[in-house]
């Protein structure tokens, strides 16, 4: 029986997201992954507290909490990936490994230049959003990349996904549309 995972590309309009968008010249500056059909919980690497982008790491994201709850208009594009039971179990296992270590994990600020220079900067236990989601998809066997996940920007990752767009619009309304 096939399962589904969801890859959510977004742009919040915060200063860091505007910088990423300007450098990458892509519509979306952030990416998350979800494993439940209602997409109420997403996983990524981002700020842990609304007002401090420098205290960042592994996060559970929701439109009802944190930065996504505070901002009314977050543009997003959601892809639904049909995966095998084995791939789905691998994704869940990988995410659970990150959840168990979340207090030790840091945001890979230096690695943010990796996609631009195509040189992997990978400090121990440090990730940024597209590096994390790419690694989950590669390690679970869902996606093959021709470069290191640390050299993948959100826009690059979107180019690798061969699924149709499931939803595009405001992240807040995505949850009512997706779960309906």
């Amino acid at each position: 029986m096939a399962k589904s995972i969801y890859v959510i590309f977004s742009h919040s309009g915060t200063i860091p997201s505007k910088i990423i968008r300007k450098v990458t010249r892509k519509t979306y500056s952030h990416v998350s992954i979800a494993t439940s059909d209602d997409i109420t919980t997403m996983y990524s690497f981002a700020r842990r507290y609304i007002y401090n982008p420098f205290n960042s790491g592994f996060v559970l994201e929701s439109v009802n909490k944190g930065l996504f709850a505070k901002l009314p208009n977050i543009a997003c594009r959601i892809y639904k990936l049909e995966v095998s039971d084995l791939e789905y179990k691998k994704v869940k296992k990988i995410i659970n490994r990150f959840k168990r270590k979340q207090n030790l994990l840091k945001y890979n600020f230096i690695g943010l230049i990796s996609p631009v220079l195509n040189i992997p900067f990978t400090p121990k236990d440090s990730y940024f959003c597209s590096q994390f989601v790419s690694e989950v998809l590669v390690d679970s066997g869902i996606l093959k990349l021709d470069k290191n996940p640390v050299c993948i920007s959100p826009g690059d990752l979107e180019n690798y996904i061969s699924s149709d767009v499931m939803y595009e619009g405001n992240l807040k309304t995505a949850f009512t549309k997706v779960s309906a």
Side-chain angles (χ1 to χ4, degrees):
M1 185 170 152
K3 299 270 189 183
S4 300
I5 61 162
Y6 302 86
V7 181
I8 302 97
F9 293 89
S10 61
H11 179 73
S12 64
T14 61
I15 291 171
S17 72
K18 288 178 181 177
I19 293 168
I20 292 168
R21 183 187 243 182
K22 187 167 183 76
V23 170
T24 63
R25 297 186 181 113
K26 299 290 184 180
T27 304
Y28 299 101
S29 53
H30 182 65
V31 62
S32 311
I33 190 168
T35 58
S36 64
D37 288 338
D38 63 2
I39 314 177
T40 54
T41 300
M42 302 169 283
Y43 305 94
S44 192
F45 273 74
R47 64 178 74 195
R48 290 185 173 118
Y49 302 102
I50 294 173
Y51 300 106
N52 185 353
F54 299 106
N55 184 348
S56 301
F58 180 75
V59 294
L60 280 67
E61 298 173 315
S62 169
V63 292
N64 302 319
K65 294 189 294 187
L67 186 67
F68 287 162
K70 180 179 175 8
L71 301 173
N73 297 310
I74 298 172
C76 77
R77 186 178 293 148
I78 300 174
Y79 292 88
K80 179 179 182 178
L81 306 177
E82 298 293 334
V83 299
S84 70
D85 285 340
L86 179 61
E87 290 167 333
Y88 184 82
K89 286 176 185 171
K90 286 181 181 179
V91 166
K92 295 281 282 183
K93 185 177 180 180
I94 293 165
I95 290 172
N96 284 333
R97 189 174 65 232
F98 276 88
K99 284 164 77 172
R100 283 191 304 273
K101 291 176 39 174
Q102 71 184 31
N103 293 331
L104 303 172
L105 299 171
K106 299 177 230 62
Y107 193 87
N108 186 0
F109 287 103
I110 189 72
L112 285 175
I113 62 172
S114 294
V116 177
L117 301 176
N118 202 29
I119 299 170
F121 294 104
T122 54
K124 183 178 177 7
D125 293 329
S126 297
Y127 298 81
F128 52 87
C129 65
S130 53
Q131 174 188 2
F132 163 70
V133 175
S134 296
E135 192 169 298
V136 170
L137 295 173
V138 167
D139 289 353
S140 62
I142 295 169
L143 196 63
K144 292 191 186 333
L145 302 175
D146 57 4
K147 51 184 172 177
N148 188 315
V150 76
C151 293
I152 300 289
S153 71
D156 294 334
L157 180 58
E158 190 171 12
N159 291 337
Y160 282 100
I161 294 177
S162 59
S163 179
D164 290 332
V165 173
M166 181 180 146
Y167 173 83
E168 187 164 15
N170 187 326
L171 186 63
K172 299 262 188 199
T173 58
F175 295 91
T176 57
K177 304 269 189 218
V178 170
S179 59

